[in-house]
Amino acid sequence: MANPLLQVKNLKTYFRTEAGVAKAVDGVDFEVMPGEVLGIVGESGSGKSVTSLSIMQLIPNPPGEIVDGNIIFEGTDLLAAYRQKDYDVIRKIRGNKISMIFQEPMTSLNPVFTIGDQVAESLVHHKGLNPKEARDHAVEMLELVGIPSARERINEYPHQFSGGMRQRVMIAMALSCDPSLLIADEPTTALDVTIQAQILELMLEVKAKTSNAAILLITHDMAVIAETCHRVVVMYCGRIQEIADVKTIFHSPQHPYTQGLLASLPKPGQKVRRLSTIEGIVPSLFNLPKGCSFCTRCNQKLDKCETVPPEMVETSPGHFVRCHLAKPMKSA
Amino acid sequence: MYSYFIRRFLLMIPTFIGITFLCFTVTRFVPGGPVEQAVLRYQQAMAMSGEGGGGTSGSDMEQGQISEEMMESLKAIYGFDKPFYEAYAIWLWRVLHFDLGTSDTYSRPVWDLIKEKFPISIIFGLSGFTLSYMICIPLGVWKAVKHGSGFDTGSSIMVFIAYSIPGWTAGVLLLMLLGGHAYLDIVPSGGKDSGFINETSKLAMFLQEGAQVSDIPETIRKEFPKLGDNQTINASHPAFKHVPAEKRFKLKTGNHSDLSFIGRTLDTMWHMILPVFCYVLGMFASSTVLMKNSLMENLGQDYVRTAFAKGLSERVVIFKHALRNSLIPIATGLGHMLSIILAGSYLIEKVFNINGFGLLGYDSLIARDYPVTLGILVIGSMLKLFGNIVSDFLYCLIDPRIRFS
Ligand SMILES: Nc1ncnc2c1ncn2[C@@H]1O[C@H](COP(=O)(O)OP(=O)(O)O)[C@@H](O)[C@H]1O
Ligand SMILES: [Mg+2]
């Protein structure tokens, strides 16, 4: 098996607020293999964005802080450099080896610079291209993401683009330096339903045409996962609850939370009267249950769930579940 | 966009008429106007001459009385003989022909007075404005970057103090302390330059060469009939070059105009220190806080996160991406600069006795010299209205969102 591109080990990112310490990400472990599309799914507030921003070291500090863990990217421990306050390491990687697309296309571009300037900026910065070369490359990238008459539109400003077009620009910008990892944090959530699928498809298409970057796709939508991902990480309350490849997740989900997420999906051919949702509300991060954080909403709860936090167990090769009901696979 | 600016220009007309009509009407109806003042002066003069002549008390009353005829002619002199709307129309018509009337107190065309005083205010105000931007913008930026640090807190205390003291109040205080009244004598006590420089003054070393008028050759002297024998002329005087070299000498005393160029500059700067400080003080708090808040707000924006995500250094993110956006509200303030300078100058010019536009307006109000008051209103409101348009224009220049919609 190839070496993982990115290893996240025991990542803990806390926010110190007036109400107390919010353990937004509390011991997260996963790996991203080169070229794969890994989904992170979970309800709003489960710590998906904080996980991705921690990888990029973009957590606003204060109030946030990465308090523990290792993030090993292409053999380098990014957090070791971070702890030594050596920010050059991550600066050389951001926008170059790892780039990121955000949820809000309307506000993620600088309103006072042209699209061309903003796409060309990272090329000049990381690849040392001269402005002319960078501009030409920017035009190519914009054509690649399907912006019509890119050579003219490069001189326009973000407000002259629609939301979908801006997200295309963000994709062009993110992939312009041929990164090996692209983090997309809910890239389609803010868009019209009609163009959501287009943008996802485009991302995969451009990925295949360029350096075949691995993609870490964050979403709260299981349908998006089904269409795009190879493997899935299910997050809840700052912890990973289940990891498996996409087929396994959809065919034999082990964690009651994953099962709940899947039950809320409309099934093809099925006439839906009312989509089932997971009962109850996400507990406050300041007031998490002592045991399993999902026990307040779980429909298969055991007595010990309330007091004993479950460990991660491997139920079949590559399938990990954090649940007292899960049976570890028999070691050969 | 052009149509927008044309519309803005056209809108200036009713606004201008509204402002001036209102003020004109007020001058008509407030008590103590020029006619009443003239009557008062007349009565005082009569009373004095009455006393001097030792007239009877009975005739005093009659002498103090003003005949109907006289009243009418007084009203005609000050233009109060017509109903106010008619008088306003006449006034407006003249203004449209650049005729602002004649000052009652100076007996000179108002337009000339304003032209004379305006540059003085502009020099003081502009220096204050420029200096305060030069201090407040970097300070605000630095406070935003170092938000929450000791530097930020310390400078915030300064901002609070500056905010609570109006510029002219500080002027009064500093003049008392430093202007030679009570404690120290290191700044002039007012005015825009030195009226008299004596031998002990430090400025005396910058005095030019001069010559006695009597030493000017007779033929040349005829061209300057105003010069008296006992007077001296300085090197800038056109007759000076005709004075034989051995008769020239270095002046020991003199006034501002007898100084060399460097001396004049130093003299002006010396007079400007306190007033300009007061201008800066007046703008310091609001400009600094505006700059800081504007940058702070932009630093929290998503596009700043995008810029960081590109791998740009903190310096580039702050000074290229965030600063450009946060300067938008500051730059649009430039359009209001002139009117802010003038508005701020009334009291400061009064305190420092600077003979500028503000002091002219202040004095005209006290003396009920309405032609001057209204003339200043015309210029002031025109500047304000143009300033608004300039602000909008600057906004368009900096912010593409406005430019293209
Ligand atoms: N800037 C912040 N300040 C305080 N708490 C934060 C901040 N950002 C995130 N959090 C905490 O982290 C939790 C997880 O947030 P996030 O990762 O954005 O969730 P999501 O899975 O929806 O992306 C939030 O519920 C919140 O308590
Ligand atoms: Mg999120």
Side-chain angles (χ1 to χ4, degrees):
Chain A
M1 220 167 98
N3 282 331
L5 175 72
L6 176 82
Q7 286 172 282
V8 176
K9 291 181 181 169
N10 192 33
L11 177 68
K12 293 186 179 177
T13 304
Y14 295 173
F15 288 89
R16 288 172 220 288
T17 66
E18 275 168 28
V21 177
K23 299 181 177 180
V25 171
D26 198 17
V28 158
D29 298 82
F30 65 90
E31 292 176 350
V32 183
M33 303 306 287
E36 84 167 329
V37 182
L38 176 69
I40 301 186
V41 70
E43 284 167 296
S44 170
S46 47
K48 308 181 298 292
S49 297
V50 173
T51 304
S52 58
L53 291 173
S54 300
I55 297 169
M56 290 290 269
Q57 291 176 23
L58 288 175
I59 296 289
N61 179 4
E65 201 190 339
I66 303 172
V67 294
D68 200 6
N70 301 86
I71 293 177
I72 296 152
F73 176 74
E74 291 182 344
T76 317
D77 190 343
L78 303 182
L79 287 187
Y82 167 81
R83 278 188 275 269
Q84 282 159 18
K85 302 208 185 302
D86 179 5
Y87 303 122
D88 278 345
V89 174
I90 189 70
R91 230 175 263 150
K92 288 200 183 98
I93 286 175
R94 280 183 196 149
N96 188 20
K97 294 291 182 92
I98 309 181
S99 49
M100 189 157 177
I101 306 172
F102 300 96
Q103 183 174 343
E104 306 84 8
M106 303 312 275
T107 52
S108 289
L109 290 163
N110 191 331
V112 301
F113 291 104
T114 62
I115 297 296
D117 284 344
Q118 295 189 59
V119 178
E121 192 175 22
S122 26
L123 288 163
V124 174
H125 183 67
H126 290 297
K127 300 287 180 223
L129 301 190
N130 67 38
K132 167 90 177 57
E133 294 165 341
R135 240 179 130 66
D136 288 343
H137 192 87
V139 172
E140 275 170 41
M141 288 308 296
L142 291 172
E143 277 166 355
L144 202 60
V145 297
I147 291 188
S149 47
R151 193 160 282 282
E152 287 81 56
R153 299 212 67 184
I154 201 165
N155 294 319
E156 293 184 0
Y157 290 88
H159 72 274
Q160 291 163 289
F161 283 63
S162 69
M165 282 294 167
R166 285 189 217 186
Q167 206 58 306
R168 284 169 195 259
V169 172
M170 287 297 288
I171 294 171
M173 208 157 89
L175 293 176
S176 63
C177 288
D178 290 333
S180 40
L181 176 64
L182 172 68
I183 302 175
D185 186 359
E186 313 229 15
T188 59
T189 306
L191 299 178
D192 263 11
V193 191
T194 46
I195 44 178
Q196 286 187 359
Q198 282 178 26
I199 293 290
L200 285 174
E201 212 166 288
L202 176 84
M203 240 167 59
L204 299 178
E205 205 183 292
V206 177
K207 154 196 157 73
K209 280 188 196 161
T210 54
S211 54
N212 195 31
I215 297 181
L216 186 61
L217 179 70
I218 290 159
T219 176
H220 60 264
D221 187 351
M222 272 295 190
V224 169
I225 296 282
E227 280 160 32
T228 46
C229 296
H230 303 133
R231 283 197 310 133
V232 190
V233 169
V234 181
M235 267 189 92
Y236 185 73
C237 288
R239 290 209 182 86
I240 293 179
Q241 308 297 338
E242 187 161 5
I243 304 181
D245 61 74
V246 79
K247 264 206 197 107
T248 314
I249 282 283
F250 279 85
H251 290 132
S252 54
Q254 300 277 302
H255 199 289
Y257 180 59
T258 316
Q259 292 163 0
L261 287 178
L262 287 168
S264 56
L265 268 183
K267 294 195 180 53
Q270 176 190 324
K271 214 169 166 194
V272 204
R273 253 192 227 98
R274 194 165 164 275
L275 290 175
S276 75
T277 50
I278 306 173
E279 298 262 318
I281 52 158
V282 184
S284 152
L285 284 181
F286 305 115
N287 195 16
L288 285 180
K290 236 203 269 143
C292 170
S293 42
F294 189 60
C295 72
T296 52
R297 303 166 73 192
C298 186
N299 54 11
Q300 300 158 44
K301 192 175 74 178
L302 307 173
D303 282 344
K304 67 171 172 181
C305 293
E306 283 183 16
T307 47
V308 185
E311 291 296 319
M312 199 67 138
V313 292
E314 192 167 17
T315 59
S316 60
H319 188 175
F320 297 86
V321 185
R322 189 189 293 279
C323 180
H324 287 307
L325 292 168
K327 307 255 177 318
M329 64 177 178
K330 289 180 189 80
S331 46
Chain B
M1 202 177 75
Y2 291 110
S3 69
Y4 172 76
F5 278 105
I6 290 169
R7 227 172 29 243
R8 285 295 304 266
F9 270 109
L10 291 179
L11 262 175
M12 273 177 72
I13 298 168
T15 318
F16 178 76
I17 292 180
I19 296 173
T20 50
F21 182 73
L22 211 71
C23 293
F24 189 91
T25 312
V26 169
T27 63
R28 282 304 170 122
F29 292 108
V30 289
V35 175
E36 285 165 60
Q37 296 216 342
V39 170
L40 208 67
R41 278 199 298 275
Y42 175 77
Q43 284 172 338
Q44 276 170 353
M46 275 315 194
M48 298 263 261
S49 65
E51 272 165 32
T56 63
S57 57
S59 63
D60 259 353
M61 286 293 290
E62 275 163 24
Q63 278 176 345
Q65 219 70 41
I66 286 177
S67 68
E68 201 71 7
E69 254 171 86
M70 250 176 103
M71 200 66 187
E72 286 309 314
S73 63
L74 263 180
K75 281 187 176 173
I77 289 171
Y78 292 108
F80 276 57
D81 52 340
K82 302 185 183 66
F84 72 94
Y85 45 87
E86 203 183 321
Y88 174 74
I90 294 170
W91 176 82
L92 188 64
W93 183 249
R94 286 202 185 130
V95 168
L96 290 179
H97 294 81
F98 300 102
D99 175 9
L100 294 175
T102 307
S103 159
D104 297 338
T105 40
Y106 300 90
S107 305
R108 286 177 57 198
V110 173
W111 192 237
D112 287 358
L113 282 172
I114 290 178
K115 267 197 294 203
E116 184 183 303
K117 313 282 185 188
F118 202 64
I120 300 172
S121 298
I122 290 297
I123 289 173
F124 277 83
L126 211 58
S127 317
F129 196 84
T130 316
L131 199 66
S132 80
Y133 263 32
M134 274 162 53
I135 295 171
C136 298
I137 292 180
L139 181 64
V141 169
W142 203 239
K143 278 169 74 66
V145 172
K146 297 275 163 202
H147 177 65
S149 68
F151 170 79
D152 182 34
T153 318
S155 55
S156 287
I157 295 172
M158 261 165 59
V159 167
F160 276 124
I161 294 172
Y163 185 70
S164 55
I165 307 175
W168 60 273
T169 323
V172 173
L173 200 73
L174 289 171
L175 261 186
M176 290 241 307
L177 294 177
L178 310 175
H181 292 279
Y183 298 98
L184 296 168
D185 187 8
I186 49 176
V187 291
S189 60
K192 68 178 173 58
D193 47 41
S194 296
F196 181 71
I197 296 160
N198 63 25
E199 284 146 29
T200 56
S201 165
K202 291 211 173 61
L203 282 168
M205 60 191 274
F206 295 104
L207 285 167
Q208 291 176 311
E209 286 200 303
Q212 202 70 33
V213 170
S214 52
D215 291 330
I216 301 173
E218 206 55 39
T219 46
I220 308 292
R221 263 209 68 178
K222 286 203 193 88
E223 294 171 33
F224 304 97
K226 277 193 206 149
L227 293 176
D229 271 348
N230 296 330
Q231 279 178 284
T232 52
I233 56 169
N234 64 33
S236 324
H237 196 278
F240 181 76
K241 60 177 183 284
H242 302 288
V243 177
E246 70 275 11
K247 294 279 170 63
R248 299 175 185 178
F249 57 89
K250 192 163 183 314
L251 292 170
K252 289 211 170 58
T253 62
N255 60 27
H256 179 76
S257 59
D258 294 326
L259 293 167
S260 65
F261 177 73
I262 295 175
R264 285 200 301 275
T265 313
L266 285 176
D267 186 36
T268 304
M269 277 167 56
W270 185 47
H271 280 81
M272 282 173 78
I273 292 174
L274 271 194
V276 167
F277 177 81
C278 294
Y279 277 106
V280 174
L281 192 72
M283 285 182 265
F284 176 75
S286 54
S287 308
T288 307
V289 171
L290 180 67
M291 184 65 234
K292 182 190 170 185
N293 289 348
S294 177
L295 184 55
M296 288 286 290
E297 195 188 313
N298 277 288
L299 285 176
Q301 297 290 312
D302 289 336
Y303 72 80
V304 165
R305 194 179 54 188
T306 307
F308 273 118
K310 279 180 177 177
L312 303 176
S313 67
E314 194 171 359
R315 213 189 58 226
V316 175
V317 174
I318 292 173
F319 291 101
K320 180 177 170 190
H321 284 267
L323 191 60
R324 172 93 184 257
N325 280 280
S326 59
L327 281 176
I328 291 173
I330 306 282
T332 54
L334 283 176
H336 300 299
M337 182 177 69
L338 280 182
S339 44
I340 291 173
I341 288 173
L342 294 179
S345 69
Y346 282 68
L347 289 166
I348 290 179
E349 289 188 5
K350 177 73 188 157
V351 168
F352 290 101
N353 196 25
I354 299 163
N355 208 352
F357 191 76
L359 192 58
L360 181 69
Y362 182 92
D363 288 344
S364 80
L365 266 179
I366 301 293
R368 298 301 161 93
D369 188 348
Y370 286 146
V372 175
T373 310
L374 290 171
I376 282 184
L377 179 78
V378 168
I379 304 294
S381 48
M382 289 300 275
L383 282 175
K384 175 86 188 147
L385 293 173
F386 270 113
N388 285 344
I389 294 183
V390 170
S391 276
D392 278 11
F393 186 71
L394 286 171
Y395 211 151
C396 289
L397 274 188
I398 310 175
D399 193 338
R401 280 166 294 189
I402 309 232
R403 204 184 319 155
F404 292 96
S405 53

